[in-house]
Amino acid sequence: MKLSLRNTKIQNLNFVISSCPSDQGEDYNIAYSFIKEVFCKVCKQSLLFSNSKYDIIEYPFLFRERQLDSVVLPIISSLCKGLVIAEYPIVRDSSIKGFEKKDSKGRIDYWCIYKDYSIVIEMKHSYDAFKTNLTNDERLIKRWETMTVSQLQDVRKNVRYFNEKTKGVIRIGLHFITPYCNRDGNMDDVDDYKCRQKEILTRLSKDVSRCKPTTTTPNFLASWVLPNNKKYFEVPYKGTYPGLLLIGKIFTAIAHEGSASMHVNSD
């Protein structure tokens, strides 16, 4: 699936977001809407952490996954009218070479219900040196592969036993990526990031899908640049952090025991 990237403004914030293909089913369209809402709201909520009254600039995306959860979980809860559970227990099974599991007890990052679909979500966070022509952090690529090849695949058997009366179970991978460069608070670097957002997203999409491309190729891409005000870039850390990126993966809904409609592809 070739993604078309477009510039858009949502609630006075500037984004680059992949368009939703017109030939996809209801489950994909709903998952696309969900990810877009989550990403845009995470960006907007993050601006609250630039607060002159309390003299703080502590964006959650400057840290790691656990800190990012501080804004992601409340946003999902709002979108799903409270129907969300973090660290949801699940049994994992996999025969994929290198990722073998048998009746392994684990957790998924989030389970929720959105627009009559159950959604299970795995989330990762990484950093990207955005001025490079090649994604040089192998940890970023490894996290993406682990999430798409292993974590979102080895729950397929167990989610079929879910009892909630929804249309199906959609599996979603969210990989939030903080772009950075080593020069402190340099506005030229911010402008460079702003101009190259589509190029950066295309590079990331290509680099994370070298292994098992059918499974690992992202089908949602988004980028955001902080508002053009120098105060937003005066973070108490070395380097320049101009915004936030997201690469996402949506897998076809799986029919489960509680499905209200069984006309769902279970591949």
Side-chain angles (χ1 to χ4, degrees), residues 205-219:
S205 179
K206 178 181 177 181
D207 289 349
V208 300
S209 56
R210 295 182 301 216
C211 168
K212 299 181 182 297
T214 301
T215 302
T216 59
T217 299
N219 49 16

Side-chain angles (χ1 to χ4, degrees), residues 103-155:
D103 294 332
S104 175
K105 293 182 179 180
R107 295 178 298 276
I108 51 177
D109 288 329
Y110 308 103
W111 164 92
C112 62
I113 294 177
Y114 178 75
K115 294 187 177 179
D116 295 329
Y117 279 89
S118 301
I119 299 179
V120 295
I121 304 165
E122 293 288 358
M123 186 175 80
K124 302 293 182 190
H125 176 268
S126 296
Y127 298 90
D128 177 65
F130 70 86
K131 295 182 78 69
T132 62
N133 294 320
L134 184 70
T135 306
N136 54 20
D137 189 345
E138 288 296 325
R139 294 171 298 180
L140 184 158
I141 296 172
K142 183 62 177 177
R143 289 181 188 121
W144 177 257
E145 290 177 356
T146 298
M147 179 168 62
T148 55
V149 177
S150 177
Q151 291 177 314
L152 289 170
Q153 303 305 321
D154 58 31
V155 299

Side-chain angles (χ1 to χ4, degrees), residues 61-64 125-140 143 176-186 188-190 192-194 196 200 203-204 223-224 226 233 235 237-245:
F61 57 79
L62 293 178
F63 303 102
R64 293 289 185 182
H125 176 268
S126 296
Y127 298 90
D128 177 65
F130 70 86
K131 295 182 78 69
T132 62
N133 294 320
L134 184 70
T135 306
N136 54 20
D137 189 345
E138 288 296 325
R139 294 171 298 180
L140 184 158
R143 289 181 188 121
F176 289 92
I177 300 171
T178 302
Y180 76 95
C181 69
N182 288 327
R183 295 195 298 179
D184 290 344
N186 190 294
D188 289 339
D189 291 328
V190 174
D192 182 50
Y193 169 77
K194 185 176 182 178
R196 295 178 55 234
I200 293 165
R203 184 251 302 164
L204 284 166
S223 173
W224 169 65
L226 282 158
F233 305 101
V235 298
Y237 308 103
K238 180 177 175 57
T240 298
Y241 302 83
L244 186 62
L245 300 155

Side-chain angles (χ1 to χ4, degrees), residues 10 17-21 25-41 75 79 114-115 119 170 172 174 219-220 246 250:
I10 300 172
I17 301 176
S18 57
S19 299
C20 184
E26 179 188 71
D27 55 338
Y28 179 92
N29 293 333
I30 284 176
Y32 172 93
S33 170
F34 176 83
I35 299 177
K36 182 178 177 181
E37 288 265 22
V38 169
F39 182 70
C40 293
K41 289 180 183 298
I75 287 167
L79 290 173
Y114 178 75
K115 294 187 177 179
I119 299 179
I170 303 173
I172 289 177
L174 301 176
N219 49 16
F220 185 96
L246 176 69
I250 301 166

